[in-house]
Every structure is written in structure tokens, then in C-alpha cells.
Amino acid sequence: MRIYRLLLYLYPASFRADYAAEMEAIFRSQLRDARGGARIGLWFAVVHEVIMNAPAVHWDILKQDVRYSARTLNRARGFALTAVLVTALGIGANTAAFSVADFVLLRPLPFADPDALVRLCEGPRTGAGWGCMNELSPANYRDFKAMSSSFESMGAFTGAGVNLVGVGEPRRLEIAPVTPEVLPILGVSPVLGRVFESREDDRSAVVISYGLWQSQFAADASVVGRTVRLDGVAHTVIGVMPRGFYFPTRNVQMWTALTFRDEDYEDRTNTYIRGVARLKPGVTFEQARADLEVIAGRLARDYPDTNEETWISFFRVRENMSPRFRLMLLAVGGASLCLLLLTCANLANLLLARAAGRERELAVRAALGAGRERLMRQLVTESLILTLVGGVAGLLVAAAGVPLFASLVPDTLPIATEPAVDLRVVAFAALFTTLTAFGFGLFPAIRAGRRTAFDALREGVRAGGGAKQRLRAVLVTIEVAMSVILLITSGLLIRAVWRVQAIDPGFKPENVLIFHVPLPRPKYDKPLQRVQFYDRVLERVRTLPGVQSAAFTSGLPMVTTGLITGVTIPGREAVSRRREGVSHRWVTPQYFRTMGIPLQRGRDVEDRDRADRGWVAVVSASFAERYWPGQDPIGKTFRHLDDTRTVVGVVGDIKVRGLERTSEPQMYLPAAQAPDPFPGGFDPKDLVIRHSAQGSALISAVRQIVHSIDAEQPVANVRAMNDVIAGETASRRGQLQVLSVFAVVAILLCAVGIYGLLAYTVSQRSQEIGVRLALGAEPARVGRMILADGMRLALFGIVPGVLGAYAAARGMSALLFGIAPSDPATFSTAIGVALVTVLAGTLVPAWRAVRLSPMSVLRAE
Amino acid sequence: MLDRELKKGSAELIILSIVEKRARHGYEISRLIESQSGGQLKFHIASLYPLLYRLEERGWLQGRWVEKPGQRRRRFYRLTAEGRRVLASQRNTWKAFVTAMRLITGVDHA
């Protein structure tokens, strides 16, 4: 019979309370009457019937509970809406934040076995920095590849831009020339055609991206075999990569064949490629690194002239992002956890408040025969309905919110910009919230079970012991603490952004338009051809109405951050450019005026600085200071490549590498004084125009001018320089937006939480307050008492909040750009805001307490 | 044993009919079903009681605990006014159904 009783446990407790005894008695008599095989048959039948019918009873009860809960929640709409809103915010914010963090930091890249994919570049001996510090030379690449035993396969790639002509509008494309090993290393098969093989005719083959196939080729299924012209040279499309495939970054639209000629191996300092490899099975990342370091050491010994300071940058493909980005994402993740905790505390408070109001109702129902289990079931069902609706609303919040996080996705990773809502994160946040709702929703039922119904009925609404009040107070202090943390961390980041935005870039970006006009080779192989192009374009552009000045440059600050070279000063020992690099640009006259770079001494590059005159240079102040400290640099000479140049002007330094990074000293050389032959990568390719007022009309005029001079020349990436500067702080501002929203939500929830608690306290103590007032207490004193309660709560929350915020600020000090983690202004502002919020939440209850009429309170008893 | 599906579809009608004349307890209901159907219908107690529970929740039956000396506590069920209405309606439905079946299949009823 014990077995039968255990079976009956499959039924709900309320059902068992009514029927278990009877069912057991009947079964006992049936078992008595049965003999031999019939007994076994009876047992089988019983087990079968119980298993088939028990779920139906549970389902019936659930349906009843849902109907009942819907009715009660409908009667308490304010509570239900608030609970749903709070749940939605908690789940939504967390889902959005963690979906992005997971997408960037954790999710495997869309390649075969992505953890085995590694990148190889040259790097400083110190091993400092992240990502690819210096590019590889073909000679070093060949040696690393041949001498290493850690890789299944290794390939090389580089970056380039080409003009795509003959398919729609002439278009500037970012491409990646790759060796045949590269695409197979990544392990992704093309959707059409094939990838590169080591064939002779693959030298003029291209593989295109899915996006390019859609946009430029209209998803033509017969695109394989088509001819396209890149910089005037015919290429054949051999394959199309699948959607979502990006390598090395999402901007690359096409892959061409990278080949090396014998002369490419001659100069070990001719660095322009990057390596990608797949680890051999069983070889760890550290083992491979050690292997490569041994090889680097050997090369340094064998070729001391070129390789003495050449070490390696070796990292997983997944890790190619700045530590700052990672920190930003972690900070956002931490903030959203704070918010989750806060919303759960708020939800718990709401449920406890509701519980207090329902004690009487539950007591009556218990007195009328409702079992404790039944009551608990109903309360749990109600909580689950709230969290379900809140969860769905939270998903909508998350879906709407994820795009806000788009600027937190670094563009150095081969992934798309748009993270999607991650269901695992939804599940986590939902679970957390459900457990909260579960736990606090059950409170009144547990209490109802403990005390006798009679007690509850007798004491009426006044019941509501100290324990529950204390718990609610604790929850409110948690809310205050979380709000303070969010306020302080967002405050610090705001100040950091302001500080970065206040950095003087060294030039004046307002009213400057930039156009990318790269001249293709071999069409513009000769310097004279290029100079003529620049002259003709500039001559006509400068006559356009609204144009104040215009020039060409080989690289704009913050857009092109590299182009580092070395110079030799007569009488000074030659130093490798890895240790003392100089940022160099080839410019046409009026560049400094157009960019607003101050000319400090001497003169600008002028029209007379042609190839047949003395070769000159304009240098930045830090350049002059480095090589001729304390001297007048005008007239001094130095050697660059194989040419001697004379300094004719000194300009202010600019932030070439970006607002937050240190830049090398700068050197500007006249475009007309470029050596021949000259690598295409260093050509002036950006047109800058300083204009007055409306710039938009200029854009089409400039396009027309370029088109009339060379119909096949695309004009790309037209932007305002101001947008480039704004882009420097885009991810910071994105993070800030997110954190500010969190902080505002936190503060509002906090205020609501405090208000709710104190309003309840006042109503609880209304009798006591009424008596006090009747006995002559000043109303103002009563009000102060309530205010003091509120402030006490605030303090208990502010202190741990401040400590937590300080710890968090120290953890993310790398993001604070020089603002101290304990910045007094931020801390005191945040504490002030928290106090004001608490005050706001306290005011109405205090006012109500003051306005209590002793007569009406006492009469109501 | 009659088809399971048939039994499921008619269970409510059967129970409401059994308690029409007077209040009965669960075990009595199950024995009466078996005897009045000539052994063709058997409701196991594990499935009967959930059904009684459901009918009571719907308000078609009213249950009452009765404790007689020397006996354990039993729950007696009787038809409510609503239950009577439902019983009448379901009877009509079955009559119409049976007539239709007879016409189509040529099956006579006893």
C-alpha cells in the first residue's frame, strides 16, 4: 500500500486531500479480492491509469489558477503593469547587453574550428600592443612558414583598394589579396564556384563577397566566369563566398591572388603582408608561440641588419580587438547586472507589498477550506503570469535596444555589425526574474499557512510583522546601492568622453569635406600623370563657389593612421624606423590651410616645389624638436629613401593616430617631388576641401569635375571631417548612452521603490501617527520622522553603493582616460542625485502623514 | 471492453446520469456503471475521481463529506441545477447521434 500511496503523490495535494483516503481504501479491497495473476494485472492497470490521469488534474487546476489570476491581476492593474514593466526592463536591458558582449567576446567566429585560427605579424621585442603591430615582409614570412612545425597550413594576405569598373557605377572596393592557402585555412566553402588554387591562371582570378554579389552583380547565378576590371586590369570571377563570411574585416568585399616575385624576397624590411594560420591538431597556442619566438631569434641572429628588432605579434583571430573594447563591453555587462539586481529587488518589493494587502483575503480563503498548497499554487501561477508577460515585453525591449549597442562592436573582427538577441541570455535573465517572482510571490502563502486563519482575520489589515518590513527595507537599500553604482560609473564615463572630445586634434575639422579619389596603377604610373591630375582637379575645384581652399594628401589624420617611415639625419646615427618612426604624407599646396594646421615657421608646400627643383619638406614641431632640439630647423637637411630634403617650414603637430593615441612626429613632402618609381600605396588619394556654409551642393560638383577629367575614376567615401572626429568617440558615446539609460531607469525604479515602501509604512502606522497627533505632536515633527526613515534607508544604500562604484571604477580605469576612479566631483554629484531621488520618493508619504486627521484614523478602527 | 475513445466522449453523460436520482459516493458510482452496463464499461478509480473533481469544479456536481459511525469519511455527489441542464442537453445530443448512426450504418439499438 505504500507503493500505492507514493503513486498518488503524482496527483496534486489538493486532490489528494479530498480523494486519497477513499482511493486507497477501494484499491485495498480490490487487491484483497484479486488472486494470483489478476493482482499483477490490477497493479499494472493502476499504474497506467494514474500516470495517464494525474497530468490532466494538474492541467485542470492550472487552467483554473490562470483564470483566477487573470481576474485578480485585472483588478490590481496598477500593480500588474508596474510589475510587468519592471520585469521587462530587467530582462530586456540584460538581454541586449549580454547578447552584444557574447557576440563580440564569446561566440565562435564563423569559420571551421575557429579556435585554431591564428594571426602572425611582426612586432616589437617588448611584446607590447595588441593585434598586428607591424606587417610582415615576404622574406620573413617565407622563413617563418618553412621553419615552423606548429601549423597545419599558413598563408598571407594584405589589404588594398581598387577601382572596380564595368559593373554598374565605377566603385571603390576594399579588397584583400590572399595566397591560395588562406581561404581553405578558414574552412568556409564558397556558395558558387571555387577558391584559389596554385594555378597560373588564378593570378587574375577574384573571389567576391556575398554582399558584393548581391549589390553589384544582382545575385547573377552565372557570375562565375565573368570579367571585371580592377584598376583597368581584367580579372575573372571564380567564386562567391557565403553570406556572413568576412575576412579579415567586414569591409573587405573581394579577394584577389597574392603572389610573390623573387625580388619581393630581397628586402627583409619590405613589410606589407600579414599571416594567418591554422594550428596543427594537438598543438597549443603557447607551443606555437614558443616555436615562432625561437625562429624569430634565429632570424635576428642570421640577419642582424634587418631583423635585430623584429619580433612577432601572434594572436588568435578572435582576439583581434583592443583591450579597451573588451573592457567597455565588460563594463556594460556589469552595469546591466546591476540593473537586473535592481529590478529584481524592485519586483520583490512590489510582490511583498501586494502580499501584505492580500493577507486578509488569503486568510478568509483558508478559513473557507482552501488548502495551503492550493493557495501557494495560485500565487505561484500569478507570479509566473507576470514574469511571462514581462519576459515577452522584455524580449521586445531587447530587440529594440540591441541596435543601440551596434557601436560597441569593433570593426577589427571578421563579424557583422548587427548582433542578434541571444536566447541563452534571455533564458538567464528570465530565470533570475522568475526565481525572484517565485520566491517573493510565495511569501504570503507561506505566512498564511503559519498562522491560524482566525488570528489573521482578527488582526485584519494591521497585520504585517517586523520581519517583512525589514526585508522590504533591505530590498530598498539594495536598489539605492545599485542606483548609486550606475550613477557614478556613468558619471565617470561621461567625464571621460568630455575629456576625449575636448582634445585638440591639432587641426580644424569644421567645414572640411573629404573625398577618396585613389588613382589606379598602371594607368597613373608616372608621377607627371598623377601631378597633372591633381593640378587639373584642384584648379577647377578651387573656383567652385563656397570653396576656400583645397588640396590632396596621401593620408588623412585618423583615417589613415599608419604610413610610418624612417629618416636619417646627417651626423646622427641611423636608427631603425621601428624605434624612431616618422609619419609621412605627400601633399599638394594649400594642405595646411585647408586642414587648419597652423604654420609655425617658414612656408607651406608651394607650386614651385617640382621634381626639377630642390627637394623640400615641411615638418611638425615635434619632428624638429626630436632631431634638432633647440635649433632653428629651417634649412636643415635629412635623408629620406634615397633623397636629401631641406626643411622649409614647421607646422603644428596633429593627432594622426587618433584622439586617444600618441602619434609619431609628422613630415610632409610635396606630391610633385615623389621619386619614380613610387609605390601606389603612398600616392595622394584624399581630396580635402575647406568650404564656407553649405557643403552638400559641392559634392556633386566635385564628382562632376573628377568625372570630366577621368570618366573611370570613382569618387568614394565622401564625408565631413567632423564626422571622422565624431567617429573617434562613437563607441565611447555608445557605451555612455547605454549606461545613462541604465542609470536613469535605476533612479526611477529606486524612487518608486522608496515611495512604495514609505507609503506603506505610513498607512501601517496611521493609527500610531493619529494617536500622536491627537496627543499634541506637531505635524511637522511627524513629517520629519518619515523623512528621517527615508534618509536612513538612503544612507544604508549609498555607503555600499559608493564602495561598489569605486571598485568598479578602478576595474575600468583604463577607460577613464585620466579621470581618477575616485573623482570627487562625480561621486558627490551622484550621491546628491541619489539623495534627491530618495527625498522625492519620501515627500508624498511624509506629506500624507502630516495631513492625517487623527479623528478619521481613530474612527476607522 | 468498449473503445477508449467512445468511453472518453461519454464519461460525463454517464456520471451525471448515475447521480441523477440520488447522491452517491465515488466507489458506488464506479460499481453502478459496471453493473448497469453489463460489464461493458469500467471506470478505474484513478480516472473516475479526476473526472468527479472536474465536474465538481465546473459546478455540475456538488460534493459533500458524510461520516457515518463505523465507516470512513466519504464524499457524496449530487446533481446541481446546472448539472441537470447539462444532463438534459447531453442526452438529446446522444439521442440525435444514435439515430443518425442507425440510419447510416443500419445498426439497431437494444
Side-chain angles (χ1 to χ4, degrees):
Chain A
M1 288 319 291
R2 218 174 26 225
I3 299 174
Y4 189 73
R5 253 177 252 135
L6 279 173
L7 262 181
L8 289 181
Y9 267 94
L10 288 174
Y11 289 104
S14 49
F15 180 89
R16 285 199 312 275
D18 286 345
Y19 299 112
E22 186 150 339
M23 288 170 80
E24 203 182 311
I26 295 171
F27 182 70
R28 194 180 288 121
S29 80
Q30 283 177 336
L31 206 59
R32 233 186 357 249
D33 296 337
R35 290 273 171 269
R39 286 175 82 108
I40 299 170
L42 188 61
W43 271 109
F44 269 117
V46 153
V47 169
H48 178 257
E49 290 292 322
V50 168
I51 289 174
M52 297 301 287
N53 283 285
V57 183
H58 283 281
W59 177 244
D60 279 336
I61 293 182
L62 181 65
K63 279 194 298 200
Q64 273 170 36
D65 288 344
V66 168
R67 277 196 297 267
Y68 181 76
S69 302
R71 276 200 309 270
T72 48
L73 286 175
N74 191 41
R75 276 199 297 267
R77 261 179 290 229
F79 159 77
L81 277 171
T82 313
V84 164
L85 187 65
V86 167
T87 309
L89 282 171
I91 291 181
N94 260 276
T95 303
F98 277 101
S99 294
V100 175
D102 173 73
F103 180 73
V104 176
L105 297 176
L106 295 175
R107 187 173 300 184
L109 294 174
F111 304 123
D113 191 11
D115 288 330
L117 288 175
V118 289
R119 290 271 306 268
L120 174 63
C121 288
E122 294 178 15
R125 261 257 148 114
T126 56
W130 62 274
C132 194
M133 293 300 289
N134 293 314
E135 288 164 319
L136 273 172
S137 62
N140 285 336
Y141 160 71
R142 185 174 57 176
D143 287 338
F144 277 120
K145 183 171 175 178
M147 296 198 246
S148 163
S149 54
S150 307
F151 305 104
E152 203 173 271
S153 179
M154 186 191 285
F157 63 96
T158 182
V162 289
N163 296 341
L164 171 67
V165 176
V167 189
E169 274 286 302
R171 197 179 144 168
R172 185 72 180 164
L173 278 187
E174 213 174 298
I175 66 168
V178 296
T179 59
E181 301 89 346
V182 170
L183 294 176
I185 281 174
L186 298 172
V188 178
S189 306
V191 291
L192 283 180
R194 61 175 178 87
V195 293
F196 300 106
E197 292 155 14
S198 310
R199 309 200 317 202
E200 192 49 41
D201 48 1
D202 270 3
R203 282 172 182 243
S204 61
V206 296
V207 174
I208 61 176
S209 73
Y210 193 87
L212 189 69
W213 180 49
Q214 299 275 313
S215 66
Q216 214 73 3
F217 296 88
D220 177 12
S222 56
V223 68
V224 175
R226 262 177 85 160
T227 305
V228 294
R229 298 187 80 77
L230 305 177
D231 281 352
V233 179
H235 288 73
T236 314
V237 177
I238 59 166
V240 179
M241 294 309 282
R243 186 201 295 269
F245 175 82
Y246 305 102
F247 184 79
T249 66
R250 58 175 168 263
N251 301 318
V252 169
Q253 304 260 40
M254 186 187 275
W255 297 271
T256 59
L258 176 64
T259 48
F260 302 117
R261 304 159 299 183
D262 287 333
E263 49 262 43
D264 292 322
Y265 295 110
E266 279 167 14
D267 180 6
R268 266 180 199 270
T269 63
N270 182 20
T271 60
Y272 63 96
I273 59 174
R274 301 159 189 238
V276 62
R278 180 173 283 281
L279 293 171
K280 260 192 198 147
V283 176
T284 66
F285 180 79
E286 285 70 26
Q287 285 169 338
R289 177 201 285 282
D291 178 22
L292 289 170
E293 283 179 344
V294 165
I295 299 170
R298 220 154 79 201
L299 290 174
R301 275 195 309 276
D302 293 344
Y303 308 99
D305 288 339
T306 53
N307 279 48
E308 195 189 325
E309 278 146 44
T310 305
W311 213 238
I312 54 165
S313 279
F314 185 60
F315 52 96
R316 292 189 182 84
V317 173
R318 149 64 76 208
E319 287 161 11
N320 191 22
M321 77 178 102
S322 82
R324 195 156 65 76
F325 251 105
R326 190 172 288 131
L327 198 53
M328 260 194 217
L329 284 164
L330 289 175
V332 167
S336 65
L337 272 179
C338 277
L339 193 65
L340 182 65
L341 205 56
L342 195 151
T343 54
C344 284
N346 207 292
L347 186 64
N349 237 329
L350 281 169
L351 288 166
L352 283 174
R354 180 162 165 72
R358 291 180 81 185
E359 279 210 347
R360 192 166 208 167
E361 170 208 340
L362 291 171
V364 167
R365 292 182 63 199
L368 289 176
R372 186 171 129 177
E373 175 256 5
R374 194 77 173 76
L375 291 176
M376 281 168 71
R377 254 187 201 248
Q378 270 175 356
L379 291 167
V380 166
T381 308
E382 192 178 289
S383 301
L384 285 176
I385 290 177
L386 283 173
T387 46
L388 191 67
V389 176
V392 168
L395 268 178
L396 294 173
V397 167
V402 159
L404 288 177
F405 291 75
S407 60
L408 294 176
V409 179
D411 56 11
T412 45
L413 285 182
I415 52 178
T417 340
E418 316 88 31
V421 169
D422 188 327
L423 287 176
R424 290 171 305 166
V425 181
V426 178
F428 166 74
L431 184 67
F432 206 79
T433 316
T434 305
L435 286 174
T436 308
F438 206 84
F440 290 94
L442 277 180
F443 228 72
I446 295 173
R447 279 184 65 77
R450 278 212 207 111
R451 305 156 64 229
T452 66
F454 186 59
D455 291 335
L457 282 169
R458 193 175 44 153
E459 287 183 30
V461 191
R462 253 186 320 120
K468 208 183 333 199
Q469 275 296 85
R470 275 198 296 278
L471 181 58
R472 288 193 67 187
V474 165
L475 290 170
V476 168
T477 51
I478 290 176
E479 291 184 51
V480 173
M482 293 297 122
S483 305
V484 165
I485 292 178
L486 286 171
L487 279 171
I488 290 178
T489 47
S490 359
L492 287 171
L493 286 167
I494 288 178
R495 291 205 53 188
V497 165
W498 284 346
R499 189 174 272 205
V500 173
Q501 283 176 332
I503 294 173
D504 179 11
F507 55 94
K508 295 192 175 37
E510 307 83 27
N511 294 328
V512 173
L513 277 175
I514 58 183
F515 301 77
H516 195 54
V517 190
L519 297 176
R521 304 296 190 88
K523 187 170 179 181
Y524 286 93
D525 253 349
K526 292 284 151 208
L528 196 57
Q529 290 169 308
R530 298 193 295 273
V531 169
Q532 271 177 356
F533 178 88
Y534 304 139
D535 283 346
R536 289 167 71 187
V537 169
L538 288 173
E539 186 184 15
R540 292 177 58 179
V541 163
R542 284 172 186 154
T543 60
L544 288 173
V547 171
Q548 292 172 356
S549 57
F552 272 89
T553 174
S554 59
L556 289 161
M558 299 177 201
V559 175
T560 311
T561 57
L563 298 180
I564 308 296
T565 190
V567 298
T568 320
I569 312 296
R572 214 167 169 269
E573 199 187 312
V575 177
S576 88
R577 72 179 159 94
R578 290 208 178 86
R579 274 212 256 139
E580 257 187 12
V582 168
S583 162
H584 76 305
R585 298 290 183 268
W586 303 82
V587 299
T588 60
Q590 290 194 18
Y591 176 69
F592 303 112
R593 190 190 331 167
T594 310
M595 290 296 287
I597 301 174
L599 181 65
Q600 292 176 352
R601 299 182 70 124
R603 64 170 179 85
D604 190 352
V605 163
E606 288 169 3
D607 285 319
R608 60 177 153 122
D609 297 316
R610 295 276 156 176
D612 53 350
R613 303 287 191 81
W615 284 31
V616 300
V618 174
V619 302
S620 73
S622 61
F623 184 108
E625 189 52 34
R626 180 195 273 181
Y627 295 115
W628 306 285
Q631 302 169 47
D632 181 6
I634 307 292
K636 294 273 194 290
T637 62
F638 62 87
R639 279 186 77 73
H640 174 243
L641 300 178
D642 289 317
D643 311 303
T644 304
R645 296 202 175 249
T646 312
V647 176
V648 296
V650 178
V651 291
D653 280 89
I654 61 174
K655 297 259 178 228
V656 177
R657 288 231 187 231
L659 287 175
E660 296 183 51
R661 300 172 66 178
T662 23
S663 304
E664 291 84 351
Q666 298 106 48
M667 167 175 87
Y668 303 91
L669 310 173
Q673 288 181 344
D676 184 19
F678 190 58
F682 297 112
D683 287 340
K685 53 179 71 74
D686 288 305
L687 170 64
V688 287
I689 298 177
R690 178 168 288 278
H691 59 91
S692 51
Q694 279 297 353
S696 43
L698 273 179
I699 295 173
S700 49
V702 169
R703 280 193 199 277
Q704 268 176 12
I705 289 173
V706 172
H707 191 80
S708 68
I709 294 170
D710 181 350
E712 287 188 347
Q713 180 57 43
V715 175
N717 280 354
V718 182
R719 289 173 282 173
M721 195 66 210
N722 257 337
D723 291 342
V724 172
I725 305 274
E728 283 283 296
T729 52
S731 60
R732 273 187 182 278
R733 279 179 292 120
Q735 182 192 33
L736 191 58
Q737 265 166 10
V738 167
L739 286 180
S740 307
V741 167
F742 284 0
V744 167
V745 167
I747 275 294
L748 287 174
L749 288 178
C750 202
V752 166
I754 293 202
Y755 165 78
L757 180 63
L758 289 174
Y760 181 73
T761 308
V762 167
S763 70
Q764 285 290 86
R765 297 167 71 180
S766 57
Q767 209 195 21
E768 171 208 336
I769 294 172
V771 166
R772 283 191 192 217
L773 289 174
L775 290 177
E778 278 175 35
R781 211 186 138 114
V782 168
R784 276 201 297 275
M785 186 175 77
I786 302 297
L787 277 174
D789 276 350
M791 286 301 144
R792 207 177 14 246
L793 280 176
L795 280 174
F796 281 142
I798 285 175
V799 171
V802 163
L803 292 173
Y806 180 67
R810 287 201 51 178
M812 57 179 205
S813 55
L815 292 177
L816 296 180
F817 200 69
I819 308 283
S822 59
D823 179 49
T826 312
F827 273 68
S828 44
T829 311
I831 292 172
V833 172
L835 284 171
V836 165
T837 308
V838 171
L839 194 63
T842 319
L843 272 176
V844 173
W847 178 247
R848 285 222 192 107
V850 163
R851 297 285 306 250
L852 269 179
S853 154
M855 287 312 298
S856 51
V857 168
L858 292 170
R859 217 179 313 151
E861 266 315 301
Chain B
M1 250 344 248
L2 283 176
D3 189 71
R4 194 181 181 77
E5 291 305 314
L6 275 176
K7 214 171 82 177
K8 252 175 37 182
S10 52
E12 291 169 5
L13 175 56
I14 292 168
I15 291 173
L16 293 175
S17 310
I18 297 281
V19 300
E20 185 185 12
K21 297 269 172 11
R22 65 179 184 88
R24 301 187 191 277
H25 62 85
Y27 188 44
E28 195 183 351
I29 292 172
S30 101
R31 286 229 319 273
L32 276 169
I33 291 173
E34 193 177 342
S35 66
Q36 286 187 8
S37 69
Q40 294 281 0
L41 292 173
K42 268 194 189 140
F43 275 87
H44 204 281
I45 45 172
S47 46
L48 178 66
Y49 282 105
L51 202 44
L52 291 170
Y53 184 82
R54 192 177 305 150
L55 292 176
E56 195 180 356
E57 292 288 328
R58 281 192 203 155
W60 299 352
L61 295 179
Q62 192 184 59
R64 198 169 56 94
W65 288 110
V66 172
E67 200 150 356
K68 293 189 180 142
Q71 285 182 352
R72 66 169 189 280
R73 192 173 79 140
R74 282 187 168 137
R75 197 165 178 78
F76 278 74
Y77 294 94
R78 63 173 192 77
L79 219 50
T80 61
E82 178 67 19
R84 268 179 218 289
R85 271 194 290 280
V86 172
L87 175 59
S89 154
Q90 288 201 358
R91 273 197 174 121
N92 288 335
T93 308
W94 261 99
K95 275 193 193 127
F97 180 66
V98 166
T99 307
M101 286 297 282
R102 221 177 81 210
L103 288 170
I104 295 169
T105 63
V107 168
D108 260 319
H109 67 101

